[in-house]
mmCIF file of all heavy atoms in Angstrom:
data_model
loop_
_atom_site.group_PDB
_atom_site.id
_atom_site.type_symbol
_atom_site.label_atom_id
_atom_site.label_comp_id
_atom_site.label_asym_id
_atom_site.label_seq_id
_atom_site.Cartn_x
_atom_site.Cartn_y
_atom_site.Cartn_z
ATOM 1 N N GLU A 1 -9.658 -9.695 -13.388
ATOM 2 C CA GLU A 1 -10.869 -9.294 -12.670
ATOM 3 C C GLU A 1 -10.659 -7.969 -11.944
ATOM 4 O O GLU A 1 -11.548 -7.115 -11.934
ATOM 5 C CB GLU A 1 -11.293 -10.392 -11.687
ATOM 6 C CG GLU A 1 -11.913 -11.592 -12.381
ATOM 7 C CD GLU A 1 -12.160 -12.770 -11.446
ATOM 8 O OE1 GLU A 1 -12.040 -12.611 -10.212
ATOM 9 O OE2 GLU A 1 -12.475 -13.858 -11.958
ATOM 10 N N GLU A 2 -9.481 -7.801 -11.336
ATOM 11 C CA GLU A 2 -9.174 -6.539 -10.662
ATOM 12 C C GLU A 2 -9.157 -5.381 -11.649
ATOM 13 O O GLU A 2 -9.675 -4.295 -11.376
ATOM 14 C CB GLU A 2 -7.820 -6.625 -9.947
ATOM 15 C CG GLU A 2 -7.860 -7.368 -8.639
ATOM 16 C CD GLU A 2 -6.513 -7.374 -7.925
ATOM 17 O OE1 GLU A 2 -5.489 -6.959 -8.520
ATOM 18 O OE2 GLU A 2 -6.482 -7.800 -6.761
ATOM 19 N N LYS A 3 -8.545 -5.607 -12.820
ATOM 20 C CA LYS A 3 -8.458 -4.570 -13.853
ATOM 21 C C LYS A 3 -9.853 -4.228 -14.378
ATOM 22 O O LYS A 3 -10.178 -3.054 -14.581
ATOM 23 C CB LYS A 3 -7.557 -5.053 -14.995
ATOM 24 C CG LYS A 3 -7.206 -3.991 -15.987
ATOM 25 C CD LYS A 3 -6.380 -2.904 -15.348
ATOM 26 C CE LYS A 3 -5.041 -2.792 -15.983
ATOM 27 N NZ LYS A 3 -4.234 -1.716 -15.445
ATOM 28 N N LEU A 4 -10.710 -5.238 -14.557
ATOM 29 C CA LEU A 4 -12.090 -5.014 -14.998
ATOM 30 C C LEU A 4 -12.841 -4.166 -13.970
ATOM 31 O O LEU A 4 -13.535 -3.214 -14.329
ATOM 32 C CB LEU A 4 -12.804 -6.351 -15.215
ATOM 33 C CG LEU A 4 -14.288 -6.286 -15.562
ATOM 34 C CD1 LEU A 4 -14.502 -5.599 -16.894
ATOM 35 C CD2 LEU A 4 -14.882 -7.694 -15.591
ATOM 36 N N HIS A 5 -12.688 -4.517 -12.701
ATOM 37 C CA HIS A 5 -13.340 -3.760 -11.626
ATOM 38 C C HIS A 5 -12.862 -2.308 -11.634
ATOM 39 O O HIS A 5 -13.665 -1.373 -11.496
ATOM 40 C CB HIS A 5 -13.063 -4.422 -10.277
ATOM 41 C CG HIS A 5 -13.712 -3.728 -9.127
ATOM 42 N ND1 HIS A 5 -15.078 -3.729 -8.932
ATOM 43 C CD2 HIS A 5 -13.193 -2.977 -8.118
ATOM 44 C CE1 HIS A 5 -15.371 -3.023 -7.854
ATOM 45 N NE2 HIS A 5 -14.239 -2.554 -7.345
ATOM 46 N N ALA A 6 -11.565 -2.110 -11.812
ATOM 47 C CA ALA A 6 -11.005 -0.750 -11.838
ATOM 48 C C ALA A 6 -11.572 0.042 -13.018
ATOM 49 O O ALA A 6 -11.912 1.227 -12.872
ATOM 50 C CB ALA A 6 -9.481 -0.808 -11.924
ATOM 51 N N LYS A 7 -11.702 -0.603 -14.185
ATOM 52 C CA LYS A 7 -12.271 0.077 -15.359
ATOM 53 C C LYS A 7 -13.716 0.484 -15.098
ATOM 54 O O LYS A 7 -14.133 1.587 -15.432
ATOM 55 C CB LYS A 7 -12.217 -0.841 -16.590
ATOM 56 C CG LYS A 7 -10.885 -0.904 -17.270
ATOM 57 C CD LYS A 7 -10.963 -1.758 -18.529
ATOM 58 C CE LYS A 7 -9.693 -1.644 -19.341
ATOM 59 N NZ LYS A 7 -9.806 -2.285 -20.646
ATOM 60 N N LYS A 8 -14.481 -0.432 -14.481
ATOM 61 C CA LYS A 8 -15.888 -0.133 -14.175
ATOM 62 C C LYS A 8 -15.990 1.025 -13.179
ATOM 63 O O LYS A 8 -16.842 1.900 -13.315
ATOM 64 C CB LYS A 8 -16.596 -1.371 -13.621
ATOM 65 C CG LYS A 8 -16.900 -2.403 -14.687
ATOM 66 C CD LYS A 8 -17.680 -3.583 -14.117
ATOM 67 C CE LYS A 8 -18.050 -4.549 -15.226
ATOM 68 N NZ LYS A 8 -18.922 -5.634 -14.763
ATOM 69 N N MET A 9 -15.115 1.025 -12.171
ATOM 70 C CA MET A 9 -15.126 2.096 -11.174
ATOM 71 C C MET A 9 -14.795 3.444 -11.818
ATOM 72 O O MET A 9 -15.390 4.471 -11.497
ATOM 73 C CB MET A 9 -14.133 1.809 -10.038
ATOM 74 C CG MET A 9 -14.584 0.719 -9.078
ATOM 75 S SD MET A 9 -16.018 1.215 -8.117
ATOM 76 C CE MET A 9 -17.282 0.208 -8.817
ATOM 77 N N LYS A 10 -13.858 3.424 -12.769
ATOM 78 C CA LYS A 10 -13.467 4.662 -13.442
ATOM 79 C C LYS A 10 -14.632 5.201 -14.274
ATOM 80 O O LYS A 10 -14.917 6.395 -14.256
ATOM 81 C CB LYS A 10 -12.251 4.389 -14.330
ATOM 82 C CG LYS A 10 -11.618 5.620 -14.912
ATOM 83 C CD LYS A 10 -10.353 5.268 -15.663
ATOM 84 C CE LYS A 10 -9.680 6.521 -16.193
ATOM 85 N NZ LYS A 10 -8.484 6.208 -16.962
ATOM 86 N N LEU A 11 -15.330 4.302 -14.986
ATOM 87 C CA LEU A 11 -16.455 4.716 -15.831
ATOM 88 C C LEU A 11 -17.668 5.174 -15.021
ATOM 89 O O LEU A 11 -18.479 5.949 -15.508
ATOM 90 C CB LEU A 11 -16.861 3.574 -16.765
ATOM 91 C CG LEU A 11 -15.894 3.268 -17.908
ATOM 92 C CD1 LEU A 11 -16.274 1.966 -18.594
ATOM 93 C CD2 LEU A 11 -15.867 4.411 -18.914
ATOM 94 N N THR A 12 -17.786 4.659 -13.790
ATOM 95 C CA THR A 12 -18.950 5.013 -12.972
ATOM 96 C C THR A 12 -18.590 6.002 -11.859
ATOM 97 O O THR A 12 -19.373 6.198 -10.938
ATOM 98 C CB THR A 12 -19.571 3.744 -12.328
ATOM 99 O OG1 THR A 12 -18.596 3.137 -11.487
ATOM 100 C CG2 THR A 12 -20.061 2.767 -13.371
ATOM 101 N N LYS A 13 -17.416 6.585 -11.962
ATOM 102 C CA LYS A 13 -16.923 7.527 -10.933
ATOM 103 C C LYS A 13 -17.067 6.903 -9.546
ATOM 104 O O LYS A 13 -17.773 7.403 -8.680
ATOM 105 C CB LYS A 13 -17.642 8.869 -11.027
ATOM 106 C CG LYS A 13 -17.356 9.555 -12.336
ATOM 107 C CD LYS A 13 -17.871 10.959 -12.386
ATOM 108 C CE LYS A 13 -17.411 11.503 -13.708
ATOM 109 N NZ LYS A 13 -17.963 12.578 -14.280
ATOM 110 N N ASN A 14 -16.383 5.768 -9.376
ATOM 111 C CA ASN A 14 -16.384 4.970 -8.132
ATOM 112 C C ASN A 14 -17.779 4.504 -7.725
ATOM 113 O O ASN A 14 -18.114 4.441 -6.543
ATOM 114 C CB ASN A 14 -15.718 5.738 -6.984
ATOM 115 C CG ASN A 14 -14.220 5.820 -7.169
ATOM 116 O OD1 ASN A 14 -13.621 4.943 -7.790
ATOM 117 N ND2 ASN A 14 -13.625 6.872 -6.664
ATOM 118 N N GLY A 15 -18.579 4.151 -8.711
ATOM 119 C CA GLY A 15 -19.889 3.561 -8.442
ATOM 120 C C GLY A 15 -20.982 4.562 -8.147
ATOM 121 O O GLY A 15 -22.092 4.176 -7.795
ATOM 122 N N THR A 16 -20.708 5.859 -8.334
ATOM 123 C CA THR A 16 -21.717 6.870 -8.008
ATOM 124 C C THR A 16 -22.590 7.237 -9.215
ATOM 125 O O THR A 16 -23.652 7.831 -9.053
ATOM 126 C CB THR A 16 -21.057 8.153 -7.471
ATOM 127 O OG1 THR A 16 -20.148 8.647 -8.454
ATOM 128 C CG2 THR A 16 -20.325 7.879 -6.168
ATOM 129 N N VAL A 17 -22.135 6.885 -10.431
ATOM 130 C CA VAL A 17 -22.867 7.230 -11.648
ATOM 131 C C VAL A 17 -23.129 5.950 -12.443
ATOM 132 O O VAL A 17 -22.250 5.103 -12.560
ATOM 133 C CB VAL A 17 -22.033 8.208 -12.525
ATOM 134 C CG1 VAL A 17 -22.755 8.522 -13.818
ATOM 135 C CG2 VAL A 17 -21.701 9.466 -11.769
ATOM 136 N N GLU A 18 -24.341 5.816 -12.982
ATOM 137 C CA GLU A 18 -24.632 4.633 -13.803
ATOM 138 C C GLU A 18 -23.980 4.796 -15.168
ATOM 139 O O GLU A 18 -23.888 5.902 -15.697
ATOM 140 C CB GLU A 18 -26.145 4.457 -13.957
ATOM 141 C CG GLU A 18 -26.786 3.940 -12.686
ATOM 142 C CD GLU A 18 -28.162 3.348 -12.946
ATOM 143 O OE1 GLU A 18 -28.383 2.829 -14.050
ATOM 144 O OE2 GLU A 18 -28.982 3.415 -12.031
ATOM 145 N N SER A 19 -23.529 3.667 -15.720
ATOM 146 C CA SER A 19 -22.871 3.709 -17.023
ATOM 147 C C SER A 19 -23.194 2.441 -17.788
ATOM 148 O O SER A 19 -22.888 1.336 -17.332
ATOM 149 C CB SER A 19 -21.355 3.845 -16.831
ATOM 150 O OG SER A 19 -20.667 3.530 -18.018
ATOM 151 N N GLU A 20 -23.813 2.616 -18.973
ATOM 152 C CA GLU A 20 -24.125 1.447 -19.810
ATOM 153 C C GLU A 20 -22.845 0.777 -20.269
ATOM 154 O O GLU A 20 -22.776 -0.444 -20.357
ATOM 155 C CB GLU A 20 -24.958 1.871 -21.029
ATOM 156 C CG GLU A 20 -26.432 2.004 -20.730
ATOM 157 C CD GLU A 20 -27.236 2.264 -21.990
ATOM 158 O OE1 GLU A 20 -26.958 1.605 -23.016
ATOM 159 O OE2 GLU A 20 -28.132 3.122 -21.926
ATOM 160 N N GLU A 21 -21.838 1.593 -20.577
ATOM 161 C CA GLU A 21 -20.554 1.043 -21.033
ATOM 162 C C GLU A 21 -19.938 0.157 -19.950
ATOM 163 O O GLU A 21 -19.471 -0.940 -20.217
ATOM 164 C CB GLU A 21 -19.597 2.179 -21.400
ATOM 165 C CG GLU A 21 -18.299 1.680 -22.019
ATOM 166 C CD GLU A 21 -17.317 2.805 -22.315
ATOM 167 O OE1 GLU A 21 -17.671 3.995 -22.150
ATOM 168 O OE2 GLU A 21 -16.180 2.477 -22.707
ATOM 169 N N ALA A 22 -19.974 0.628 -18.701
ATOM 170 C CA ALA A 22 -19.413 -0.140 -17.591
ATOM 171 C C ALA A 22 -20.192 -1.432 -17.380
ATOM 172 O O ALA A 22 -19.607 -2.491 -17.140
ATOM 173 C CB ALA A 22 -19.419 0.687 -16.310
ATOM 174 N N ALA A 23 -21.522 -1.360 -17.483
ATOM 175 C CA ALA A 23 -22.362 -2.548 -17.273
ATOM 176 C C ALA A 23 -22.096 -3.611 -18.333
ATOM 177 O O ALA A 23 -22.235 -4.808 -18.073
ATOM 178 C CB ALA A 23 -23.827 -2.150 -17.270
ATOM 179 N N GLY A 24 -21.691 -3.179 -19.526
ATOM 180 C CA GLY A 24 -21.458 -4.125 -20.622
ATOM 181 C C GLY A 24 -20.058 -4.719 -20.655
ATOM 182 O O GLY A 24 -19.779 -5.617 -21.452
ATOM 183 N N LEU A 25 -19.164 -4.232 -19.815
ATOM 184 C CA LEU A 25 -17.780 -4.738 -19.820
ATOM 185 C C LEU A 25 -17.713 -6.160 -19.270
ATOM 186 O O LEU A 25 -18.391 -6.501 -18.303
ATOM 187 C CB LEU A 25 -16.871 -3.839 -18.979
ATOM 188 C CG LEU A 25 -16.509 -2.472 -19.558
ATOM 189 C CD1 LEU A 25 -15.679 -1.680 -18.565
ATOM 190 C CD2 LEU A 25 -15.748 -2.618 -20.867
ATOM 191 N N THR A 26 -16.874 -7.004 -19.891
ATOM 192 C CA THR A 26 -16.631 -8.363 -19.408
ATOM 193 C C THR A 26 -15.124 -8.596 -19.368
ATOM 194 O O THR A 26 -14.345 -7.742 -19.803
ATOM 195 C CB THR A 26 -17.279 -9.418 -20.341
ATOM 196 O OG1 THR A 26 -16.628 -9.350 -21.619
ATOM 197 C CG2 THR A 26 -18.774 -9.190 -20.488
ATOM 198 N N LEU A 27 -14.717 -9.763 -18.893
ATOM 199 C CA LEU A 27 -13.281 -10.087 -18.814
ATOM 200 C C LEU A 27 -12.617 -10.070 -20.190
ATOM 201 O O LEU A 27 -11.419 -9.817 -20.302
ATOM 202 C CB LEU A 27 -13.080 -11.459 -18.169
ATOM 203 C CG LEU A 27 -13.227 -11.517 -16.651
ATOM 204 C CD1 LEU A 27 -13.088 -12.940 -16.160
ATOM 205 C CD2 LEU A 27 -12.214 -10.629 -15.957
ATOM 206 N N GLU A 28 -13.400 -10.327 -21.245
ATOM 207 C CA GLU A 28 -12.835 -10.298 -22.601
ATOM 208 C C GLU A 28 -12.385 -8.889 -22.992
ATOM 209 O O GLU A 28 -11.580 -8.716 -23.895
ATOM 210 C CB GLU A 28 -13.853 -10.815 -23.629
ATOM 211 C CG GLU A 28 -13.998 -12.328 -23.670
ATOM 212 C CD GLU A 28 -14.756 -12.890 -22.475
ATOM 213 O OE1 GLU A 28 -15.808 -12.307 -22.102
ATOM 214 O OE2 GLU A 28 -14.292 -13.884 -21.899
ATOM 215 N N ASP A 29 -12.938 -7.876 -22.307
ATOM 216 C CA ASP A 29 -12.564 -6.489 -22.593
ATOM 217 C C ASP A 29 -11.245 -6.091 -21.945
ATOM 218 O O ASP A 29 -10.739 -4.988 -22.176
ATOM 219 C CB ASP A 29 -13.670 -5.538 -22.125
ATOM 220 C CG ASP A 29 -14.969 -5.766 -22.878
ATOM 221 O OD1 ASP A 29 -14.920 -5.872 -24.117
ATOM 222 O OD2 ASP A 29 -16.028 -5.867 -22.224
ATOM 223 N N VAL A 30 -10.693 -6.969 -21.127
ATOM 224 C CA VAL A 30 -9.394 -6.701 -20.495
ATOM 225 C C VAL A 30 -8.340 -7.469 -21.278
ATOM 226 O O VAL A 30 -8.357 -8.693 -21.350
ATOM 227 C CB VAL A 30 -9.385 -7.141 -19.009
ATOM 228 C CG1 VAL A 30 -8.025 -6.863 -18.397
ATOM 229 C CG2 VAL A 30 -10.477 -6.434 -18.237
ATOM 230 N N SER A 31 -7.433 -6.731 -21.875
ATOM 231 C CA SER A 31 -6.385 -7.337 -22.689
ATOM 232 C C SER A 31 -5.288 -7.922 -21.796
ATOM 233 O O SER A 31 -5.020 -7.415 -20.707
ATOM 234 C CB SER A 31 -5.781 -6.263 -23.604
ATOM 235 O OG SER A 31 -4.578 -6.717 -24.167
ATOM 236 N N ASP A 32 -4.672 -8.996 -22.272
ATOM 237 C CA ASP A 32 -3.538 -9.572 -21.535
ATOM 238 C C ASP A 32 -2.392 -8.571 -21.434
ATOM 239 O O ASP A 32 -1.569 -8.652 -20.529
ATOM 240 C CB ASP A 32 -3.050 -10.857 -22.216
ATOM 241 C CG ASP A 32 -3.965 -12.037 -21.934
ATOM 242 O OD1 ASP A 32 -4.701 -11.997 -20.919
ATOM 243 O OD2 ASP A 32 -3.954 -13.003 -22.712
ATOM 244 N N ASP A 33 -2.336 -7.619 -22.380
ATOM 245 C CA ASP A 33 -1.290 -6.594 -22.334
ATOM 246 C C ASP A 33 -1.506 -5.628 -21.169
ATOM 247 O O ASP A 33 -0.577 -4.951 -20.733
ATOM 248 C CB ASP A 33 -1.268 -5.790 -23.646
ATOM 249 C CG ASP A 33 -0.962 -6.685 -24.840
ATOM 250 O OD1 ASP A 33 -0.320 -7.740 -24.642
ATOM 251 O OD2 ASP A 33 -1.373 -6.332 -25.961
ATOM 252 N N ASP A 34 -2.773 -5.558 -20.658
ATOM 253 C CA ASP A 34 -3.090 -4.652 -19.554
ATOM 254 C C ASP A 34 -2.623 -5.173 -18.202
ATOM 255 O O ASP A 34 -2.633 -4.439 -17.222
ATOM 256 C CB ASP A 34 -4.607 -4.407 -19.461
ATOM 257 C CG ASP A 34 -5.135 -3.611 -20.644
ATOM 258 O OD1 ASP A 34 -4.309 -3.026 -21.366
ATOM 259 O OD2 ASP A 34 -6.363 -3.590 -20.829
ATOM 260 N N ILE A 35 -2.260 -6.448 -18.142
ATOM 261 C CA ILE A 35 -1.854 -7.023 -16.853
ATOM 262 C C ILE A 35 -0.419 -7.512 -16.937
ATOM 263 O O ILE A 35 0.054 -7.908 -17.988
ATOM 264 C CB ILE A 35 -2.790 -8.169 -16.403
ATOM 265 C CG1 ILE A 35 -2.854 -9.256 -17.460
ATOM 266 C CG2 ILE A 35 -4.174 -7.657 -16.099
ATOM 267 C CD1 ILE A 35 -3.594 -10.482 -17.015
ATOM 268 N N ASP A 36 0.270 -7.476 -15.791
ATOM 269 C CA ASP A 36 1.682 -7.844 -15.752
ATOM 270 C C ASP A 36 1.890 -8.958 -14.731
ATOM 271 O O ASP A 36 2.191 -8.703 -13.575
ATOM 272 C CB ASP A 36 2.515 -6.607 -15.399
ATOM 273 C CG ASP A 36 4.004 -6.873 -15.497
ATOM 274 O OD1 ASP A 36 4.387 -7.919 -16.049
ATOM 275 O OD2 ASP A 36 4.792 -6.039 -15.013
ATOM 276 N N VAL A 37 1.691 -10.200 -15.178
ATOM 277 C CA VAL A 37 1.827 -11.354 -14.290
ATOM 278 C C VAL A 37 3.283 -11.635 -13.966
ATOM 279 O O VAL A 37 3.616 -12.078 -12.873
ATOM 280 C CB VAL A 37 1.178 -12.613 -14.937
ATOM 281 C CG1 VAL A 37 1.335 -13.825 -14.052
ATOM 282 C CG2 VAL A 37 -0.276 -12.357 -15.233
ATOM 283 N N GLU A 38 4.157 -11.345 -14.907
ATOM 284 C CA GLU A 38 5.569 -11.702 -14.746
ATOM 285 C C GLU A 38 6.236 -10.982 -13.582
ATOM 286 O O GLU A 38 7.148 -11.505 -12.966
ATOM 287 C CB GLU A 38 6.347 -11.432 -16.047
ATOM 288 C CG GLU A 38 5.834 -12.219 -17.239
ATOM 289 C CD GLU A 38 5.711 -13.716 -16.979
ATOM 290 O OE1 GLU A 38 6.644 -14.309 -16.395
ATOM 291 O OE2 GLU A 38 4.679 -14.299 -17.353
ATOM 292 N N ASN A 39 5.791 -9.766 -13.271
ATOM 293 C CA ASN A 39 6.427 -9.002 -12.202
ATOM 294 C C ASN A 39 5.761 -9.178 -10.851
ATOM 295 O O ASN A 39 6.031 -8.440 -9.916
ATOM 296 C CB ASN A 39 6.478 -7.512 -12.571
ATOM 297 C CG ASN A 39 7.485 -7.253 -13.679
ATOM 298 O OD1 ASN A 39 8.518 -7.913 -13.746
ATOM 299 N ND2 ASN A 39 7.164 -6.327 -14.559
ATOM 300 N N VAL A 40 4.874 -10.162 -10.735
ATOM 301 C CA VAL A 40 4.233 -10.463 -9.453
ATOM 302 C C VAL A 40 4.790 -11.802 -8.977
ATOM 303 O O VAL A 40 4.856 -12.758 -9.740
ATOM 304 C CB VAL A 40 2.690 -10.555 -9.614
ATOM 305 C CG1 VAL A 40 2.040 -10.930 -8.295
ATOM 306 C CG2 VAL A 40 2.134 -9.251 -10.136
ATOM 307 N N GLU A 41 5.217 -11.846 -7.721
ATOM 308 C CA GLU A 41 5.741 -13.094 -7.160
ATOM 309 C C GLU A 41 4.569 -14.023 -6.858
ATOM 310 O O GLU A 41 3.783 -13.776 -5.960
ATOM 311 C CB GLU A 41 6.552 -12.813 -5.899
ATOM 312 C CG GLU A 41 7.232 -14.040 -5.303
ATOM 313 C CD GLU A 41 8.126 -14.766 -6.292
ATOM 314 O OE1 GLU A 41 8.981 -14.120 -6.931
ATOM 315 O OE2 GLU A 41 7.959 -15.998 -6.431
ATOM 316 N N VAL A 42 4.457 -15.094 -7.645
ATOM 317 C CA VAL A 42 3.311 -15.993 -7.551
ATOM 318 C C VAL A 42 3.188 -16.610 -6.166
ATOM 319 O O VAL A 42 2.100 -16.673 -5.593
ATOM 320 C CB VAL A 42 3.402 -17.115 -8.621
ATOM 321 C CG1 VAL A 42 2.251 -18.080 -8.484
ATOM 322 C CG2 VAL A 42 3.418 -16.509 -10.006
ATOM 323 N N ASP A 43 4.310 -17.055 -5.589
ATOM 324 C CA ASP A 43 4.258 -17.738 -4.291
ATOM 325 C C ASP A 43 3.795 -16.822 -3.162
ATOM 326 O O ASP A 43 3.266 -17.289 -2.169
ATOM 327 C CB ASP A 43 5.624 -18.330 -3.934
ATOM 328 C CG ASP A 43 5.994 -19.481 -4.863
ATOM 329 O OD1 ASP A 43 5.062 -20.099 -5.425
ATOM 330 O OD2 ASP A 43 7.188 -19.749 -5.030
ATOM 331 N N ASP A 44 3.993 -15.514 -3.321
ATOM 332 C CA ASP A 44 3.582 -14.572 -2.283
ATOM 333 C C ASP A 44 2.109 -14.209 -2.390
ATOM 334 O O ASP A 44 1.564 -13.552 -1.530
ATOM 335 C CB ASP A 44 4.412 -13.280 -2.365
ATOM 336 C CG ASP A 44 5.868 -13.546 -2.023
ATOM 337 O OD1 ASP A 44 6.133 -14.601 -1.409
ATOM 338 O OD2 ASP A 44 6.722 -12.720 -2.372
ATOM 339 N N TYR A 45 1.482 -14.592 -3.485
ATOM 340 C CA TYR A 45 0.094 -14.218 -3.715
ATOM 341 C C TYR A 45 -0.852 -15.201 -3.037
ATOM 342 O O TYR A 45 -0.614 -16.402 -3.044
ATOM 343 C CB TYR A 45 -0.188 -14.163 -5.217
ATOM 344 C CG TYR A 45 -1.277 -13.185 -5.547
ATOM 345 C CD1 TYR A 45 -0.989 -11.835 -5.682
ATOM 346 C CD2 TYR A 45 -2.580 -13.593 -5.675
ATOM 347 C CE1 TYR A 45 -1.979 -10.932 -5.961
ATOM 348 C CE2 TYR A 45 -3.587 -12.702 -5.944
ATOM 349 C CZ TYR A 45 -3.281 -11.380 -6.096
ATOM 350 O OH TYR A 45 -4.276 -10.486 -6.348
ATOM 351 N N PHE A 46 -1.916 -14.718 -2.462
ATOM 352 C CA PHE A 46 -2.871 -15.574 -1.763
ATOM 353 C C PHE A 46 -3.867 -16.113 -2.762
ATOM 354 O O PHE A 46 -4.585 -15.374 -3.397
ATOM 355 C CB PHE A 46 -3.580 -14.758 -0.670
ATOM 356 C CG PHE A 46 -4.534 -15.563 0.145
ATOM 357 C CD1 PHE A 46 -4.059 -16.515 1.034
ATOM 358 C CD2 PHE A 46 -5.896 -15.407 0.025
ATOM 359 C CE1 PHE A 46 -4.930 -17.265 1.794
ATOM 360 C CE2 PHE A 46 -6.790 -16.152 0.777
ATOM 361 C CZ PHE A 46 -6.293 -17.082 1.655
ATOM 362 N N PHE A 47 -3.943 -17.462 -2.937
ATOM 363 C CA PHE A 47 -4.770 -18.045 -3.973
ATOM 364 C C PHE A 47 -6.166 -18.429 -3.517
ATOM 365 O O PHE A 47 -7.059 -18.565 -4.308
ATOM 366 C CB PHE A 47 -4.081 -19.268 -4.571
ATOM 367 C CG PHE A 47 -2.991 -18.873 -5.498
ATOM 368 C CD1 PHE A 47 -1.677 -18.886 -5.088
ATOM 369 C CD2 PHE A 47 -3.283 -18.417 -6.763
ATOM 370 C CE1 PHE A 47 -0.676 -18.483 -5.932
ATOM 371 C CE2 PHE A 47 -2.285 -18.004 -7.620
ATOM 372 C CZ PHE A 47 -0.989 -18.039 -7.208
ATOM 373 N N LEU A 48 -6.366 -18.640 -2.240
ATOM 374 C CA LEU A 48 -7.681 -19.071 -1.784
ATOM 375 C C LEU A 48 -8.592 -17.870 -1.563
ATOM 376 O O LEU A 48 -9.006 -17.570 -0.459
ATOM 377 C CB LEU A 48 -7.551 -19.930 -0.517
ATOM 378 C CG LEU A 48 -6.816 -21.237 -0.721
ATOM 379 C CD1 LEU A 48 -6.621 -21.949 0.608
ATOM 380 C CD2 LEU A 48 -7.541 -22.142 -1.687
#
């Protein structure tokens, strides 16, 4: 979700420009290769 938000912000120049491409992006557009879960300490992350 964070990566999707970052992609949308990049396409809309931090939300200042409308973008059809950004509006059409979903979580399926974020590849598992784009995120690195293994290098994040799970116990230190806030889940709620």
Side-chain angles (χ1 to χ4, degrees):
E1 286 172 11
E2 282 183 350
K3 190 64 119 177
L4 175 64
H5 181 70
K7 280 184 171 189
K8 286 183 176 186
M9 286 293 109
K10 189 175 183 182
L11 288 169
T12 61
K13 296 189 176 161
N14 288 332
T16 58
V17 177
E18 286 198 30
S19 164
E20 278 187 43
E21 186 183 354
L25 287 176
T26 65
L27 283 177
E28 282 74 44
D29 297 313
V30 179
S31 166
D32 283 338
D33 299 335
D34 292 345
I35 57 172
D36 187 12
V37 179
E38 300 308 315
N39 289 326
V40 177
E41 185 55 51
V42 177
D43 292 335
D44 294 342
Y45 208 83
F46 183 70
F47 284 100
L48 296 175

